[in-house]
């Protein structure tokens, strides 16, 4: 739909890279234990993870993608 989202690449359950998972609609599934996260708010949609992943603000400017670093 022309929208882009940025989330942390690390599953909050056991640290597996989410980039290795599959994306279906707005949910990415971790390859280790099947936790699914909604990439829009980062919330857990299917356990075993209990904590959401961090989300990041992003902006597209022509051919550039800018992602705002979170400050914690």
């Amino acid at each position: 739909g022309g929208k882009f989202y940025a989330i942390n690449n690390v599953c909050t359950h056991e640290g597996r890279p989410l980039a290795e998972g599959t994306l279906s609609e707005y949910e990415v599934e971790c390859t280790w234990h099947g936790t699914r996260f909604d990439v829009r708010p980062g919330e857990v949609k299917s356990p075993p993870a209990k904590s959401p992943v961090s989300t990041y603000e992003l902006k597209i400017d022509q051919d550039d993608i800018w992602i705002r670093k979170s400050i914690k």
Side-chain angles (χ1 to χ4, degrees):
K3 290 204 171 225
F4 296 88
Y5 301 92
I7 62 170
N8 191 320
N9 186 37
V10 179
C11 179
T12 58
H13 178 238
E14 289 196 6
R16 182 77 175 174
L18 291 173
E20 294 177 2
T22 56
L23 180 66
S24 177
E25 293 291 320
Y26 294 105
E27 293 182 6
V28 61
E29 183 175 352
C30 180
T31 60
W32 273 9
H33 299 108
T35 294
R36 290 193 329 264
F37 298 93
D38 186 322
V39 298
R40 298 167 293 183
E43 70 185 21
V44 175
K45 300 303 281 185
S46 175
K50 296 177 183 170
S51 301
V53 290
S54 298
T55 59
Y56 304 98
E57 179 183 349
L58 71 102
K59 176 183 175 184
I60 299 175
D61 182 15
Q62 296 178 14
D63 292 335
D64 296 319
I65 299 173
W66 298 87
I67 299 175
R68 185 178 302 255
K69 181 178 176 182
S70 66
I71 300 172
K72 292 192 177 189

